[in-house]
């Protein structure tokens, strides 16, 4: 299985919350164990591990697609255990998928401006488990979720650990959320760095409301938000499905802007479930603004590349 090592830079193009890239590969003679590094988890903002498992599932799917594109017969066996989700092994034939390594490389998140307009009905109809909501219908929940996020010193501290707001940051080209990925101007990046550095002093003076206000207009346009629903506890398989959906959207010229804070905040998660008619709020697994971006986003940094 050592032939997979050369493919790792493309495996690492899988998406992860805060671009933490938590996955690990441990090579053995006849298989490769897919696990994760606990130092790259988000125990505060993702206490149930939902986003971690979704990311690991997306990583598994990415590995299978890239291997298939290279003509390598590889399959995945789920085997949950301490710091692992399963194993990649040799198979009789390559993984059956319509996607290629080129599709994996072309996919990406985009936090910039989007063209107005709804997604084609036929495109959404092919996305199993997805619920579509007009952007403007969720603007109030996004603002409430941002207030909750920035109002928590612990969540804000964890977010700050993964921000790369200056090119002088020692991990700028490796991981995390850069100023480029967040589509911040130099002045905006400097202001955000200063605000978060002074968070303890400025929080009582209304800093959370100021920070939350920065995204107030994000959903104030004609567009769509897609919400992935599925059984809680099956996030690895749902993460595989999510990556296939994202690649389908990418092939149609669309990209995504994750809005996980809406389902990370208990209050807004319950309200979103009510609006969608979903009985169990824990079955809301992922949420993102989706559409055609006005300009391409720079590739996010990767540990392998």
């Amino acid at each position: 299985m050592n032939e997979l090592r050369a493919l790792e830079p493309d495996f690492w193009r899988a998406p992860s919350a805060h671009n933490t890239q938590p996955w690990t590969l441990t090579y053995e003679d006849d298989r490769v164990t897919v696990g994760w590094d606990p130092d790259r988890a988000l125990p505060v903002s993702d206490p149930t591990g939902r986003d971690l498992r979704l990311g690991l599932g997306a990583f598994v799917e990415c590995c299978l697609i890239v291997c298939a594109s290279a003509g390598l017969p590889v399959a995945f066996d789920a085997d949950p255990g301490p710091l692992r989700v399963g194993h990649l092994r040799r198979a009789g034939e390559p993984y059956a998928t319509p996607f290629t390594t080129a599709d994996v490389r072309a996919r990406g998140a985009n936090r910039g401006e989007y063209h107005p307009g709804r997604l084609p009905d036929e495109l959404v109809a092919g996305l199993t488990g997805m619920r579509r909501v007009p952007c403007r219908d969720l603007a109030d929940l996004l603002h409430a979720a941002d207030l909750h996020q920035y109002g928590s010193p612990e969540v804000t501290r964890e977010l700050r650990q993964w921000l790369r707001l200056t090119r002088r940051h020692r991990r700028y080209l490796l991981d995390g959320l850069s100023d480029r990925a967040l589509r911040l101007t130099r002045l905006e990046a400097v202001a955000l760095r200063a605000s978060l550095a002074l968070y303890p002093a400025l929080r009582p003076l209304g800093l959370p409301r100021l920070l939350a206000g920065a995204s107030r207009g994000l959903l104030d346009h004609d567009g769509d938000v897609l919400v992935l629903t599925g059984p809680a506890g099956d996030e690895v398989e749902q993460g595989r499905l999510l990556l296939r959906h994202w690649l389908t959207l990418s092939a149609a010229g669309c990209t995504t802007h994750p809005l996980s804070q809406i389902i990370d905040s208990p209050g807004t998660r319950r309200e979103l479930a009510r609006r969608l008619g979903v009985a169990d709020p824990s079955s809301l697994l992922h949420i993102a603004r989706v559409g055609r971006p006005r300009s391409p986003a720079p590739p996010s940094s990767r540990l392998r590349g």
Side-chain angles (χ1 to χ4, degrees), residues 61 65 99 107 123-131 226-229 237-252 254-256 286 290:
E61 188 71 14
I65 291 170
F99 304 113
R107 185 214 63 84
L123 178 59
V124 178
L127 303 177
T128 305
M130 285 292 193
R131 302 289 191 95
L226 294 182
V227 184
L228 177 67
T229 61
E237 281 302 307
Q238 292 296 314
R240 295 182 61 183
L241 175 65
L242 184 61
L243 182 67
R244 295 196 294 271
H245 286 347
W246 279 357
L247 293 176
T248 298
L249 290 165
S250 179
C254 298
T255 189
T256 60
H286 190 270
V290 181

Side-chain angles (χ1 to χ4, degrees), residues 4 10 39 83-84 86 107 124 150 157 230 248 261 279:
L4 272 62
D10 288 314
D39 290 337
L83 299 181
R84 74 165 187 266
R107 185 214 63 84
V124 178
Y150 290 119
R157 186 180 306 115
T248 298
Q261 61 267 48

Side-chain angles (χ1 to χ4, degrees), residues 9 12-13 29 35 41 67 73 77 91 93-94 97 106 116-117 133 138 160-161 172-173 210 224 272-273 291 295 301:
W12 254 253
R13 293 310 307 171
D29 290 340
C67 286
D77 294 328
E93 56 186 11
T97 175
V133 186
L138 297 183
R160 186 184 176 196
Q161 291 173 358
Y172 190 85
L173 298 177
L210 179 65
D224 281 315
L272 178 59
S295 61
S301 300

